Amino acid sequence: MLSQYVEIIPINDEYVLFNKANGTLILLSSSDMKIISDNEVSSLNCDLYLNLKECDMLNDTEIVLNTETDFFSIGIEMSTICNLKCKYCYQSNERSRTEIERDTIEKILIYAKKVLELHPNFKEISLSFIGGEPLIHKTKLSYIYDRFKYLAEDKGIVLSVHIDTNGTIPFSDIFTTMDNLNVSISLTNKEDHNLNRGEFDTIVRNLLSILPKKTNSINIRYNVNHKNMYEFSSFLSSLRKKLPICTTVEAMNTDNYEYNKGFRNQLTNDEYIKWKSTKAIEAMIKCNYPIAFSLSSGLKLCYAYQPYSCKVFSDGAVTLCDSMFHDKSKTNIDVIANNPQKLNEIYSEYKNYDPLLEDDCKNCKDIVLCGGHILCRNTCEFQTKYDIDLFIKSYVKAFKSGKSDCFVNM
């Protein structure tokens, strides 16, 4: 008898068994599937039977929440000031916040130092910079990086850095001087980009000026809408030829906001995830770009729920991540700088959250995939990036054609 967490996915004349509890997959012939359906598992060949056992396909696995973490994440908003006016920007309705002040920066640094004193077993600090356009404040950004680097080196841990930028401000100097840096830039085909964002040629020119560095990477975020989705494949081909410095690409659905009257994406989320799970994957494989998505191997909550991880806005307000906007802030950096545990107390409903304590969650067969009632979703619909069944079918297709290496986390 198969575990209640195992889903059977037919693919032509074969079947995939997908264990939702641990992310394992087993490809079966129709004859083997019939044996299992007839509850005659003992008749299977020895190797297949052992695989089923090792993947916990035959017994229900107890789902437990993994609360262990070896890093803490901190995001810093430099300001809401930007040199572009993108038609679909989520910050169009936000109250303007000016450049982060030195006093706020110093309190962030005190907070980080105190966190590492409380938890000397942390192995990594994940530091991210957002805006507005964070590179407008390049001097302060570099100062923050240098201080965090010193702190990480003093504690003997890794510092990884992420910068969200529109790419219009040259950043070859930062790319050269910083280590373990990932830069994310929104870019689509030229016509669409100039229509909705602008400065396509400037961004390309800046990217062409950057010298590769082994420790660093540049990610392109392709903001998908009902028109440019058809240009994705040709965009990837052009990107691969002209901008090899850009090593990863992520296609993201473009959200609609009522206050952005000049933009309307007619692509529904259902249409988007079906496209991303099929046509987009085919295009990524064709151009040899990595597909980073993976099937969850256990129940672990996102970084916003990890102790001490947070986002600090330029005025000092504190939330937990990019999905929790400024108006949801319950505290500020003045309160938590010298007492980091305060953050966990103030946001205890998140920092102490365990979906397995909720009846509707603990009995759900999709609990590992979903993660429970997390703050960036108003419903239990967890398939917001991929249609899981279609993703698995695309993976199996790539596996059978010898191209599964593009799925870097599978």
Side-chain angles (χ1 to χ4, degrees), residues 110-122 151 155:
I110 291 171
Y111 175 78
K113 184 178 180 180
K114 293 284 186 180
V115 167
L116 295 180
E117 289 173 355
L118 286 168
H119 278 268
N121 293 328
F122 279 150
L151 178 61
K155 299 295 183 180

Side-chain angles (χ1 to χ4, degrees), residues 141-151 159 177-178:
L141 187 151
S142 296
Y143 172 77
I144 296 170
Y145 167 80
D146 288 340
R147 292 289 301 277
F148 266 92
K149 184 179 180 182
Y150 175 82
L151 178 61
L159 173 65
T177 56
M178 291 187 181

